[in-house]
Amino acid sequence: MSISDWRKQLNEGNVSAVELVKEYIDKIQLNDDRIHSYLTLNFDQALAQAEKIDNDRIAGNELPPLAGVPFGIKDNLCTKGIKTTCSSRMLEGFIPPYESTVTNKLWKAGGILLGKTNLDEFAMGSSTENSAFGNTFNPWDISRVPGGSSGGSAAAVASGMCMSALGSDTGGSIRQPASFCGVVGLKPTYGRVSRWGLVAFASSLDQVGPLTSSVSDSAEILQVIAGADSKDSTCLKASVPNYAKELCKPIRGLKVGLIKQCFDQPGLSLDVKNATMKAAKDLEELGVELIEVDCPCFNEGIATYYVIAPSEASANLARYDGVKYGYRSNEEQNISSMTSFTRSEGFGNEVKRRILIGTYALSAGYVDAYYKKAQKVRTLIRRDFESAFNKVDLLLTPTSPTTAFKAGSHTNDPLSMYLSDLLTIPANLAGLPAISLPSGFDSNGLPIGLQFIGNVLDEAKLLQVAYQYEQTANVMKNKPDSDFIS
Ligand code: GLN
Protein backbone atom coordinates (compact mmCIF):
# COMPACT_ATOMS: atom_id res chain seq x y z
CA MET A 1 0.00 0.00 0.00
CA SER A 2 1.34 3.45 -0.88
CA ILE A 3 1.53 6.25 1.67
CA SER A 4 -1.20 8.21 -0.12
CA ASP A 5 -3.52 5.15 -0.26
CA TRP A 6 -2.89 4.59 3.43
CA ARG A 7 -3.65 8.23 4.25
CA LYS A 8 -6.98 7.87 2.47
CA GLN A 9 -7.81 4.64 4.33
CA LEU A 10 -6.94 6.22 7.66
CA ASN A 11 -8.80 9.47 7.06
CA GLU A 12 -11.91 7.65 5.89
CA GLY A 13 -11.75 5.46 8.99
CA ASN A 14 -11.54 2.21 6.98
CA VAL A 15 -8.41 0.97 8.75
CA SER A 16 -7.06 2.24 12.05
CA ALA A 17 -3.39 2.96 12.66
CA VAL A 18 -3.36 0.26 15.34
CA GLU A 19 -4.74 -2.30 12.86
CA LEU A 20 -2.12 -1.31 10.32
CA VAL A 21 0.75 -1.54 12.79
CA LYS A 22 -0.54 -4.95 13.96
CA GLU A 23 -0.51 -6.18 10.35
CA TYR A 24 3.14 -5.21 10.01
CA ILE A 25 4.00 -6.77 13.36
CA ASP A 26 2.37 -10.04 12.23
CA LYS A 27 4.40 -9.97 9.01
CA ILE A 28 7.62 -9.43 10.95
CA GLN A 29 6.78 -12.24 13.36
CA LEU A 30 6.00 -14.56 10.47
CA ASN A 31 8.98 -13.84 8.23
CA ASP A 32 11.83 -12.07 9.94
CA ASP A 33 13.39 -15.16 11.46
CA ARG A 34 14.28 -16.14 7.87
CA ILE A 35 15.04 -12.71 6.36
CA HIS A 36 16.54 -11.05 9.45
CA SER A 37 15.90 -7.42 8.54
CA TYR A 38 15.56 -6.21 12.11
CA LEU A 39 18.10 -5.95 14.90
CA THR A 40 15.83 -4.23 17.44
CA LEU A 41 12.03 -4.24 17.56
CA ASN A 42 9.94 -1.41 18.96
CA PHE A 43 6.43 -2.87 18.94
CA ASP A 44 5.09 -1.55 22.25
CA GLN A 45 5.99 2.03 21.48
CA ALA A 46 4.74 1.62 17.89
CA LEU A 47 1.33 0.45 19.08
CA ALA A 48 1.11 3.25 21.63
CA GLN A 49 1.89 5.83 18.94
CA ALA A 50 -0.65 4.29 16.59
CA GLU A 51 -3.28 4.48 19.29
CA LYS A 52 -2.53 8.16 19.78
CA ILE A 53 -2.98 8.78 16.04
CA ASP A 54 -6.31 6.94 16.07
CA ASN A 55 -7.48 9.02 19.03
CA ASP A 56 -6.42 12.23 17.28
CA ARG A 57 -8.39 11.22 14.21
CA ILE A 58 -11.49 10.40 16.25
CA ALA A 59 -11.17 13.76 18.02
CA GLY A 60 -11.21 15.43 14.59
CA ASN A 61 -7.64 16.76 14.81
CA GLU A 62 -5.80 17.28 11.55
CA LEU A 63 -3.31 14.47 11.00
CA PRO A 64 0.30 15.12 9.94
CA PRO A 65 1.45 13.91 6.47
CA LEU A 66 2.96 10.56 7.50
CA ALA A 67 0.42 9.73 10.24
CA GLY A 68 0.63 6.04 11.06
CA VAL A 69 3.26 5.15 8.44
CA PRO A 70 5.36 2.30 9.93
CA PHE A 71 9.10 2.71 9.39
CA GLY A 72 12.22 0.58 9.59
CA ILE A 73 15.25 2.74 10.40
CA LYS A 74 18.81 1.73 9.55
CA ASP A 75 20.66 1.07 12.76
CA ASN A 76 23.27 3.77 12.17
CA LEU A 77 20.71 6.55 12.82
CA CYS A 78 20.51 7.54 16.46
CA THR A 79 17.16 6.97 18.13
CA LYS A 80 16.83 8.38 21.63
CA GLY A 81 16.50 5.66 24.25
CA ILE A 82 16.59 2.88 21.61
CA LYS A 83 19.68 0.81 20.85
CA THR A 84 21.77 2.03 17.90
CA THR A 85 24.51 -0.48 17.14
CA CYS A 86 25.76 0.16 13.59
CA SER A 87 25.83 -3.68 13.51
CA SER A 88 29.08 -3.50 15.46
CA ARG A 89 30.20 -5.13 18.71
CA MET A 90 31.75 -1.74 19.38
CA LEU A 91 28.32 -0.17 19.88
CA GLU A 92 26.47 -3.29 21.01
CA GLY A 93 25.00 -1.73 24.14
CA PHE A 94 24.88 1.87 22.94
CA ILE A 95 21.66 3.75 23.69
CA PRO A 96 21.81 7.26 22.22
CA PRO A 97 20.82 10.12 24.51
CA TYR A 98 19.45 12.04 21.51
CA GLU A 99 17.39 11.61 18.34
CA SER A 100 18.78 12.16 14.83
CA THR A 101 17.27 15.09 12.93
CA VAL A 102 15.78 12.89 10.19
CA THR A 103 14.03 10.49 12.56
CA ASN A 104 12.86 13.40 14.67
CA LYS A 105 11.26 14.90 11.56
CA LEU A 106 9.60 11.58 10.71
CA TRP A 107 8.06 11.21 14.17
CA LYS A 108 6.86 14.81 14.10
CA ALA A 109 5.20 14.00 10.77
CA GLY A 110 3.36 11.08 12.38
CA GLY A 111 5.71 8.25 11.33
CA ILE A 112 5.99 5.21 13.60
CA LEU A 113 9.20 3.32 14.41
CA LEU A 114 8.71 -0.45 14.03
CA GLY A 115 12.37 -1.25 14.57
CA LYS A 116 16.03 -0.72 13.69
CA THR A 117 17.30 -2.51 10.60
CA ASN A 118 20.45 -4.49 9.93
CA LEU A 119 23.43 -3.15 7.96
CA ASP A 120 27.03 -3.93 7.18
CA GLU A 121 29.12 -2.89 10.17
CA PHE A 122 29.40 0.92 10.18
CA ALA A 123 27.82 0.82 6.67
CA MET A 124 30.95 -0.72 5.15
CA GLY A 125 29.89 -3.34 2.65
CA SER A 126 27.57 -4.21 -0.20
CA SER A 127 25.81 -7.35 1.03
CA THR A 128 24.83 -6.96 4.73
CA GLU A 129 27.17 -9.88 5.41
CA ASN A 130 29.52 -7.68 7.47
CA SER A 131 27.05 -7.32 10.34
CA ALA A 132 28.27 -8.50 13.75
CA PHE A 133 24.70 -9.69 14.42
CA GLY A 134 24.11 -12.00 11.45
CA ASN A 135 23.28 -11.61 7.76
CA THR A 136 20.11 -10.34 6.16
CA PHE A 137 18.74 -12.42 3.26
CA ASN A 138 17.06 -11.35 0.05
CA PRO A 139 13.28 -11.85 0.15
CA TRP A 140 13.21 -12.72 -3.58
CA ASP A 141 15.57 -15.65 -2.99
CA ILE A 142 16.82 -16.25 0.51
CA SER A 143 20.00 -17.95 -0.69
CA ARG A 144 21.08 -14.48 -1.92
CA VAL A 145 22.20 -11.22 -0.34
CA PRO A 146 19.86 -8.19 -0.14
CA GLY A 147 22.72 -5.86 -1.10
CA GLY A 148 24.19 -3.41 1.36
CA SER A 149 24.88 -1.67 3.41
CA SER A 150 21.19 -0.75 3.94
CA GLY A 151 20.20 -4.38 3.28
CA GLY A 152 17.93 -4.70 6.32
CA SER A 153 15.93 -1.62 5.27
CA ALA A 154 15.63 -2.73 1.62
CA ALA A 155 14.61 -6.31 2.49
CA ALA A 156 12.04 -5.05 5.03
CA VAL A 157 10.36 -2.75 2.48
CA ALA A 158 10.41 -5.47 -0.20
CA SER A 159 8.83 -8.08 2.05
CA GLY A 160 6.18 -5.80 3.55
CA MET A 161 7.81 -5.72 7.01
CA CYS A 162 7.57 -1.89 7.01
CA MET A 163 5.87 0.58 4.69
CA SER A 164 9.03 2.65 4.23
CA ALA A 165 12.54 2.81 5.57
CA LEU A 166 15.52 5.08 5.89
CA GLY A 167 19.01 4.14 4.83
CA SER A 168 22.32 5.91 4.35
CA ASP A 169 24.35 6.06 1.15
CA THR A 170 28.09 6.75 1.08
CA GLY A 171 28.90 4.88 -2.12
CA GLY A 172 25.61 3.23 -3.08
CA SER A 173 24.24 1.80 0.15
CA ILE A 174 20.67 2.95 -0.48
CA ARG A 175 20.55 2.39 -4.24
CA GLN A 176 22.33 -0.96 -4.60
CA PRO A 177 20.18 -2.77 -1.98
CA ALA A 178 17.08 -1.08 -3.45
CA SER A 179 18.10 -2.54 -6.80
CA PHE A 180 18.78 -6.04 -5.38
CA CYS A 181 15.43 -6.07 -3.50
CA GLY A 182 13.21 -4.50 -6.20
CA VAL A 183 12.35 -1.30 -4.31
CA VAL A 184 12.96 2.43 -4.81
CA GLY A 185 16.01 4.01 -3.15
CA LEU A 186 16.90 7.70 -3.25
CA LYS A 187 20.22 9.30 -2.37
CA PRO A 188 19.63 13.04 -2.13
CA THR A 189 22.16 15.74 -3.05
CA TYR A 190 25.02 15.98 -0.54
CA GLY A 191 23.67 18.41 2.06
CA ARG A 192 19.99 18.17 1.06
CA VAL A 193 19.20 16.14 4.18
CA SER A 194 20.64 16.64 7.67
CA ARG A 195 23.09 14.05 8.94
CA TRP A 196 22.89 15.08 12.57
CA GLY A 197 22.60 11.81 14.46
CA LEU A 198 23.81 9.65 11.55
CA VAL A 199 26.88 7.76 12.76
CA ALA A 200 29.65 9.07 10.50
CA PHE A 201 31.40 6.78 7.99
CA ALA A 202 32.91 9.10 5.34
CA SER A 203 31.74 12.62 6.03
CA SER A 204 32.28 14.11 2.57
CA LEU A 205 30.07 11.38 1.05
CA ASP A 206 27.41 10.25 3.55
CA GLN A 207 23.74 11.09 2.90
CA VAL A 208 20.48 9.81 4.39
CA GLY A 209 17.57 8.86 2.14
CA PRO A 210 14.36 6.84 1.82
CA LEU A 211 13.77 3.24 0.67
CA THR A 212 10.18 2.81 -0.45
CA SER A 213 7.96 0.66 -2.61
CA SER A 214 7.15 3.50 -5.01
CA VAL A 215 8.55 6.76 -6.36
CA SER A 216 5.66 8.81 -4.96
CA ASP A 217 6.41 7.46 -1.45
CA SER A 218 10.02 8.47 -1.95
CA ALA A 219 8.89 12.01 -2.80
CA GLU A 220 6.67 12.14 0.30
CA ILE A 221 9.46 11.12 2.63
CA LEU A 222 12.07 13.38 1.06
CA GLN A 223 9.60 16.23 1.54
CA VAL A 224 9.62 15.60 5.28
CA ILE A 225 13.32 14.96 5.84
CA ALA A 226 14.88 17.55 3.47
CA GLY A 227 15.93 21.03 4.47
CA ALA A 228 18.35 23.12 6.49
CA ASP A 229 19.41 22.06 9.97
CA SER A 230 21.38 24.30 12.31
CA LYS A 231 22.86 21.18 13.92
CA ASP A 232 24.56 20.05 10.67
CA SER A 233 26.81 22.69 9.12
CA THR A 234 27.04 20.69 5.86
CA CYS A 235 23.28 20.81 5.43
CA LEU A 236 22.26 23.22 2.66
CA LYS A 237 20.00 26.20 3.33
CA ALA A 238 18.23 25.90 -0.05
CA SER A 239 14.42 25.89 0.02
CA VAL A 240 12.62 22.58 -0.49
CA PRO A 241 10.27 22.35 -3.50
CA ASN A 242 6.93 20.52 -3.41
CA TYR A 243 8.11 17.18 -4.80
CA ALA A 244 4.70 15.49 -5.04
CA LYS A 245 3.38 18.37 -7.12
CA GLU A 246 6.20 18.04 -9.65
CA LEU A 247 5.74 14.30 -10.24
CA CYS A 248 3.17 14.65 -13.02
CA LYS A 249 4.74 17.61 -14.83
CA PRO A 250 5.29 16.68 -18.51
CA ILE A 251 8.68 15.18 -19.32
CA ARG A 252 8.41 15.48 -23.10
CA GLY A 253 11.49 17.21 -24.45
CA LEU A 254 13.71 16.46 -21.47
CA LYS A 255 17.17 15.17 -22.35
CA VAL A 256 18.50 12.02 -20.71
CA GLY A 257 22.16 11.09 -21.10
CA LEU A 258 23.46 7.54 -21.40
CA ILE A 259 26.99 7.41 -20.00
CA LYS A 260 29.12 5.64 -22.60
CA GLN A 261 31.56 4.28 -20.00
CA CYS A 262 28.79 2.43 -18.13
CA PHE A 263 27.85 0.13 -20.90
CA ASP A 264 31.20 -1.41 -21.76
CA GLN A 265 31.94 -2.78 -18.29
CA PRO A 266 33.23 -6.35 -18.48
CA GLY A 267 31.22 -7.27 -15.36
CA LEU A 268 27.91 -5.86 -16.63
CA SER A 269 25.36 -8.68 -16.86
CA LEU A 270 23.54 -9.00 -20.16
CA ASP A 271 20.13 -9.07 -18.48
CA VAL A 272 20.96 -5.83 -16.64
CA LYS A 273 22.21 -4.17 -19.82
CA ASN A 274 19.13 -5.23 -21.79
CA ALA A 275 16.73 -4.02 -19.08
CA THR A 276 18.49 -0.65 -19.04
CA MET A 277 18.32 -0.28 -22.83
CA LYS A 278 14.64 -1.26 -22.74
CA ALA A 279 14.03 1.43 -20.10
CA ALA A 280 15.80 3.97 -22.32
CA LYS A 281 13.43 3.00 -25.15
CA ASP A 282 10.40 3.38 -22.86
CA LEU A 283 11.60 6.87 -21.97
CA GLU A 284 12.02 7.73 -25.63
CA GLU A 285 8.40 6.74 -26.16
CA LEU A 286 7.46 9.18 -23.44
CA GLY A 287 9.07 11.94 -25.51
CA VAL A 288 12.45 12.06 -23.80
CA GLU A 289 15.47 12.69 -26.01
CA LEU A 290 18.33 10.22 -25.43
CA ILE A 291 21.89 11.47 -25.84
CA GLU A 292 25.11 9.52 -25.41
CA VAL A 293 27.50 11.34 -23.07
CA ASP A 294 31.15 10.85 -22.36
CA CYS A 295 32.41 10.78 -18.76
CA PRO A 296 36.04 9.71 -19.26
CA CYS A 297 36.77 9.48 -15.51
CA PHE A 298 33.58 7.65 -14.50
CA ASN A 299 35.33 4.30 -14.12
CA GLU A 300 38.00 5.81 -11.84
CA GLY A 301 35.27 6.21 -9.22
CA ILE A 302 35.95 2.93 -7.41
CA ALA A 303 39.70 3.50 -7.01
CA THR A 304 39.12 7.09 -5.91
CA TYR A 305 36.42 6.12 -3.43
CA TYR A 306 38.49 3.36 -1.87
CA VAL A 307 41.13 5.92 -0.94
CA ILE A 308 38.86 8.78 0.17
CA ALA A 309 36.18 6.79 2.05
CA PRO A 310 38.62 4.70 4.14
CA SER A 311 40.72 7.81 4.87
CA GLU A 312 37.70 9.62 6.28
CA ALA A 313 36.52 6.45 8.03
CA SER A 314 39.87 6.01 9.75
CA ALA A 315 39.52 9.50 11.22
CA ASN A 316 35.82 9.13 12.11
CA LEU A 317 36.32 5.75 13.78
CA ALA A 318 39.20 7.00 15.93
CA ARG A 319 36.56 8.01 18.51
CA TYR A 320 35.88 4.37 19.43
CA ASP A 321 38.62 4.11 21.98
CA GLY A 322 36.85 2.30 24.80
CA VAL A 323 36.63 5.51 26.84
CA LYS A 324 33.62 7.44 25.61
CA TYR A 325 31.30 4.96 23.88
CA GLY A 326 30.24 1.36 23.82
CA TYR A 327 32.54 -1.58 24.13
CA ARG A 328 35.61 -1.71 26.39
CA SER A 329 37.92 -4.71 26.51
CA ASN A 330 38.52 -6.50 29.81
CA GLU A 331 42.13 -7.16 28.82
CA GLU A 332 43.19 -3.66 29.81
CA GLN A 333 46.54 -3.14 31.51
CA ASN A 334 46.96 0.54 30.79
CA ILE A 335 45.09 3.12 28.70
CA SER A 336 47.01 2.37 25.53
CA SER A 337 46.62 -1.41 25.63
CA MET A 338 42.97 -0.95 26.66
CA THR A 339 42.38 1.02 23.46
CA SER A 340 44.20 -1.56 21.32
CA PHE A 341 42.32 -4.51 22.80
CA THR A 342 39.03 -2.64 22.57
CA ARG A 343 39.53 -1.89 18.88
CA SER A 344 40.83 -5.39 18.03
CA GLU A 345 37.87 -7.04 19.74
CA GLY A 346 35.21 -4.45 18.91
CA PHE A 347 35.66 -4.03 15.16
CA GLY A 348 35.08 -6.67 12.48
CA ASN A 349 37.49 -7.50 9.66
CA GLU A 350 36.11 -5.20 6.96
CA VAL A 351 36.14 -2.21 9.31
CA LYS A 352 39.73 -3.00 10.28
CA ARG A 353 40.69 -3.29 6.61
CA ARG A 354 39.23 0.18 5.92
CA ILE A 355 41.01 1.72 8.92
CA LEU A 356 44.32 0.24 7.77
CA ILE A 357 43.85 1.47 4.20
CA GLY A 358 42.79 4.91 5.45
CA THR A 359 45.63 5.45 7.90
CA TYR A 360 48.09 4.25 5.25
CA ALA A 361 46.70 6.63 2.60
CA LEU A 362 46.89 9.54 5.05
CA SER A 363 50.30 8.80 6.51
CA ALA A 364 53.24 11.14 5.94
CA GLY A 365 55.06 10.10 2.80
CA TYR A 366 51.95 8.59 1.18
CA VAL A 367 49.36 11.32 1.55
CA ASP A 368 50.40 13.02 -1.72
CA ALA A 369 50.53 9.80 -3.69
CA TYR A 370 47.18 8.48 -2.46
CA TYR A 371 44.84 10.84 -0.63
CA LYS A 372 45.69 14.04 -2.47
CA LYS A 373 45.77 12.30 -5.83
CA ALA A 374 42.37 10.77 -5.14
CA GLN A 375 41.01 14.24 -4.37
CA LYS A 376 42.29 15.45 -7.75
CA VAL A 377 40.60 12.58 -9.56
CA ARG A 378 37.44 13.34 -7.59
CA THR A 379 37.52 16.85 -9.08
CA LEU A 380 37.88 15.37 -12.58
CA ILE A 381 34.87 13.10 -11.99
CA ARG A 382 32.85 16.09 -10.80
CA ARG A 383 33.87 18.06 -13.90
CA ASP A 384 32.77 15.19 -16.17
CA PHE A 385 29.33 15.45 -14.61
CA GLU A 386 29.31 19.26 -14.90
CA SER A 387 29.94 19.07 -18.60
CA ALA A 388 27.38 16.28 -19.02
CA PHE A 389 24.74 18.42 -17.30
CA ASN A 390 25.43 21.21 -19.79
CA LYS A 391 23.92 18.88 -22.39
CA VAL A 392 21.34 16.81 -20.54
CA ASP A 393 18.80 17.04 -17.69
CA LEU A 394 19.47 13.63 -16.17
CA LEU A 395 21.76 10.65 -16.62
CA LEU A 396 20.64 7.04 -16.87
CA THR A 397 22.70 3.97 -15.89
CA PRO A 398 22.03 0.54 -14.42
CA THR A 399 22.24 0.72 -10.61
CA SER A 400 24.56 -2.22 -10.16
CA PRO A 401 26.38 -4.36 -12.75
CA THR A 402 24.57 -7.51 -11.57
CA THR A 403 21.49 -8.63 -9.70
CA ALA A 404 21.66 -10.06 -6.15
CA PHE A 405 24.49 -12.54 -5.77
CA LYS A 406 24.60 -15.71 -3.67
CA ALA A 407 25.34 -15.24 0.04
CA GLY A 408 28.99 -16.04 0.67
CA SER A 409 30.02 -15.80 -2.99
CA HIS A 410 32.01 -12.53 -2.59
CA THR A 411 33.01 -12.64 1.07
CA ASN A 412 36.56 -13.81 0.49
CA ASP A 413 37.19 -11.42 -2.37
CA PRO A 414 36.75 -7.80 -1.26
CA LEU A 415 37.58 -6.43 -4.71
CA SER A 416 34.70 -8.31 -6.35
CA MET A 417 32.44 -6.99 -3.58
CA TYR A 418 33.64 -3.42 -4.17
CA LEU A 419 32.81 -3.67 -7.90
CA SER A 420 29.14 -3.93 -7.01
CA ASP A 421 29.20 -0.15 -6.45
CA LEU A 422 30.98 0.78 -9.65
CA LEU A 423 27.95 2.62 -11.02
CA THR A 424 26.69 4.22 -7.80
CA ILE A 425 29.92 5.65 -6.34
CA PRO A 426 30.48 8.48 -8.88
CA ALA A 427 27.27 10.28 -7.77
CA ASN A 428 28.57 10.30 -4.17
CA LEU A 429 31.97 11.61 -5.21
CA ALA A 430 30.28 14.46 -7.11
CA GLY A 431 27.61 15.06 -4.40
CA LEU A 432 24.78 14.48 -6.88
CA PRO A 433 21.30 13.11 -6.21
CA ALA A 434 20.47 9.69 -7.67
CA ILE A 435 17.58 7.24 -7.51
CA SER A 436 17.30 3.51 -8.13
CA LEU A 437 14.03 1.89 -9.17
CA PRO A 438 13.07 -1.49 -10.62
CA SER A 439 13.48 -1.92 -14.39
CA GLY A 440 12.71 -5.62 -14.78
CA PHE A 441 13.73 -9.14 -13.73
CA ASP A 442 16.64 -11.28 -14.83
CA SER A 443 16.52 -14.91 -15.99
CA ASN A 444 16.59 -16.05 -12.33
CA GLY A 445 13.56 -13.94 -11.49
CA LEU A 446 15.62 -11.39 -9.55
CA PRO A 447 14.88 -7.67 -9.69
CA ILE A 448 17.07 -5.37 -11.81
CA GLY A 449 17.61 -1.72 -10.86
CA LEU A 450 17.82 1.38 -13.00
CA GLN A 451 19.59 4.53 -11.82
CA PHE A 452 18.90 8.15 -12.68
CA ILE A 453 21.51 10.70 -11.62
CA GLY A 454 20.46 14.35 -11.39
CA ASN A 455 22.17 17.70 -11.17
CA VAL A 456 22.78 19.32 -7.76
CA LEU A 457 19.48 19.84 -5.87
CA ASP A 458 17.47 18.59 -8.84
CA GLU A 459 15.66 15.83 -6.91
CA ALA A 460 12.34 17.12 -8.28
CA LYS A 461 13.30 16.24 -11.85
CA LEU A 462 14.79 12.94 -10.75
CA LEU A 463 11.54 11.96 -9.05
CA GLN A 464 9.43 13.30 -11.91
CA VAL A 465 11.15 11.19 -14.59
CA ALA A 466 11.42 8.15 -12.33
CA TYR A 467 7.72 8.41 -11.49
CA GLN A 468 6.61 8.60 -15.09
CA TYR A 469 8.87 5.75 -16.11
CA GLU A 470 7.53 3.67 -13.18
CA GLN A 471 3.92 4.35 -14.18
CA THR A 472 4.51 3.42 -17.83
CA ALA A 473 6.79 0.44 -17.38
CA ASN A 474 4.74 -1.07 -14.52
CA VAL A 475 7.57 -3.52 -13.93
CA MET A 476 6.00 -5.16 -10.88
CA LYS A 477 3.04 -6.47 -12.86
CA ASN A 478 5.36 -9.18 -14.22
CA LYS A 479 6.94 -10.04 -10.91
CA PRO A 480 7.73 -13.70 -10.37
CA ASP A 481 6.18 -15.58 -7.46
CA SER A 482 8.02 -15.42 -4.17
CA ASP A 483 7.07 -16.59 -0.66
CA PHE A 484 7.93 -13.27 0.92
CA ILE A 485 6.73 -10.71 -1.59
CA SER A 486 3.02 -9.93 -1.69
N1 GLN B 1 29.57 -0.61 -0.50
C1 GLN B 1 30.27 0.63 -0.30
C2 GLN B 1 31.29 0.48 0.79
O1 GLN B 1 31.42 -0.60 1.31
C3 GLN B 1 29.30 1.73 -0.03
C4 GLN B 1 28.82 1.72 1.38
C5 GLN B 1 27.83 2.80 1.68
O2 GLN B 1 27.32 3.48 0.80
N2 GLN B 1 27.63 3.01 2.96
O3 GLN B 1 31.96 1.39 1.15
Side-chain angles (χ1 to χ4, degrees):
M1 178 161 39
S2 72
I3 295 176
S4 65
D5 286 345
W6 157 241
R7 193 181 297 125
K8 207 161 160 260
Q9 296 286 335
L10 177 69
N11 283 323
E12 287 174 2
N14 301 333
V15 186
S16 73
V18 168
E19 283 167 330
L20 183 82
V21 168
K22 279 189 176 155
E23 260 178 50
Y24 280 93
I25 292 177
D26 287 348
K27 211 58 182 280
I28 294 171
Q29 282 171 338
L30 188 68
N31 291 334
D32 206 36
D33 55 340
R34 283 170 295 169
I35 293 177
H36 193 229
S37 270
Y38 285 96
L39 295 177
T40 300
L41 298 167
N42 187 47
F43 294 164
D44 291 345
Q45 210 186 73
L47 285 166
Q49 278 165 337
E51 202 176 319
K52 191 175 167 303
I53 287 167
D54 288 335
N55 290 338
D56 276 355
R57 190 190 66 80
I58 292 162
N61 298 335
E62 201 190 320
L63 296 178
L66 301 179
V69 174
F71 277 90
I73 300 291
K74 188 174 181 178
D75 207 25
N76 61 351
L77 281 161
C78 287
T79 40
K80 187 175 175 177
I82 296 169
K83 275 199 289 188
T84 299
T85 67
C86 289
S87 291
S88 179
R89 296 251 169 259
M90 192 59 101
L91 287 176
E92 194 165 0
F94 178 60
I95 298 182
Y98 69 104
E99 189 76 26
S100 78
T101 295
V102 279
T103 49
N104 207 8
K105 285 182 165 185
L106 289 184
W107 316 147
K108 280 204 174 124
I112 289 178
L113 174 67
L114 277 179
K116 302 295 293 288
T117 56
N118 201 10
L119 64 149
D120 288 293
E121 187 175 3
F122 284 102
M124 297 175 190
S126 311
S127 64
T128 318
E129 293 170 296
N130 295 336
S131 166
F133 308 122
N135 299 357
T136 299
F137 297 96
N138 191 313
W140 294 91
D141 172 354
I142 55 167
S143 69
R144 292 174 190 268
V145 304
S149 62
S150 313
S153 287
V157 173
S159 58
M161 295 195 291
C162 61
M163 195 179 283
S164 307
L166 289 185
S168 65
D169 190 312
T170 305
S173 276
I174 291 175
R175 290 160 287 156
Q176 184 258 20
S179 145
F180 280 17
C181 291
V183 300
V184 177
L186 171 69
K187 181 199 91 75
T189 305
Y190 182 77
R192 172 83 285 186
V193 172
S194 167
R195 297 175 304 167
W196 197 75
L198 169 70
V199 178
F201 164 10
S203 306
S204 76
L205 301 158
D206 300 337
Q207 256 298 281
V208 179
L211 290 118
T212 55
S213 51
S214 67
V215 175
S216 62
D217 283 5
S218 189
E220 296 229 27
I221 294 168
L222 182 64
Q223 195 73 49
V224 169
I225 61 173
D229 179 13
S230 58
K231 293 182 184 133
D232 174 0
S233 60
T234 65
C235 195
L236 300 168
K237 294 204 174 65
S239 65
V240 180
N242 184 329
Y243 296 114
K245 227 165 128 187
E246 308 265 315
L247 290 179
C248 295
K249 259 172 114 178
I251 61 170
R252 183 163 292 279
L254 287 184
K255 296 190 174 77
V256 170
L258 297 169
I259 302 175
K260 208 168 95 189
Q261 284 72 11
C262 287
F263 293 93
D264 38 61
Q265 300 294 342
L268 183 63
S269 106
L270 197 60
D271 284 348
V272 172
K273 186 173 178 175
N274 290 341
T276 314
M277 295 326 282
K278 163 84 174 60
K281 256 207 144 98
D282 290 349
L283 286 168
E284 216 168 15
E285 274 164 29
L286 289 169
V288 161
E289 187 185 339
L290 298 176
I291 297 174
E292 188 179 77
V293 299
D294 201 16
C295 291
C297 294
F298 191 87
N299 292 340
E300 310 308 324
I302 286 263
T304 309
Y305 173 90
Y306 275 99
V307 173
I308 293 174
S311 297
E312 295 183 12
S314 72
N316 275 327
L317 271 58
R319 73 190 70 181
Y320 303 104
D321 53 8
V323 177
K324 296 188 283 293
Y325 309 93
Y327 182 72
R328 178 184 294 175
S329 170
N330 293 324
E331 303 285 331
E332 62 199 271
Q333 284 128 21
N334 53 49
I335 179 91
S336 158
S337 72
M338 184 279 283
T339 300
S340 308
F341 279 118
T342 294
R343 291 170 68 82
S344 316
E345 293 161 20
F347 288 136
N349 285 343
E350 184 60 28
V351 173
K352 286 179 187 159
R353 183 182 291 123
R354 305 283 176 113
I355 294 173
L356 287 174
I357 296 171
T359 43
Y360 182 81
L362 291 175
S363 58
Y366 294 105
V367 69
D368 289 333
Y370 295 106
Y371 182 73
K372 288 191 185 157
K373 188 159 180 193
Q375 291 292 13
K376 288 181 186 162
V377 182
R378 182 177 190 174
T379 302
L380 296 177
I381 292 171
R382 187 182 295 132
R383 285 197 193 136
D384 276 358
F385 279 118
E386 276 165 15
S387 63
F389 284 118
N390 285 331
K391 297 186 211 113
V392 298
D393 297 283
L394 290 179
L395 294 161
L396 167 67
T397 76
T399 306
S400 188
T402 67
T403 53
F405 43 84
K406 290 271 184 194
S409 63
H410 289 16
T411 36
N412 294 322
D413 183 2
L415 283 183
S416 75
M417 187 74 89
Y418 297 171
L419 283 174
S420 189
D421 299 308
L422 183 76
L423 305 167
T424 46
I425 279 174
N428 299 78
L429 289 169
L432 300 172
I435 192 167
S436 175
L437 70 160
S439 64
F441 294 89
D442 74 358
S443 49
N444 293 318
L446 298 167
I448 300 173
L450 176 75
Q451 174 178 238
F452 290 107
I453 305 173
N455 208 345
V456 174
L457 289 177
D458 217 359
E459 284 84 359
K461 208 180 281 160
L462 206 59
L463 289 160
Q464 175 197 357
V465 174
Y467 176 75
Q468 295 189 37
Y469 166 75
E470 173 190 63
Q471 298 301 306
T472 314
N474 200 0
V475 167
M476 285 299 156
K477 81 169 184 288
N478 296 324
K479 69 173 191 281
D481 285 339
S482 149
D483 290 350
F484 297 106
I485 312 278
S486 45

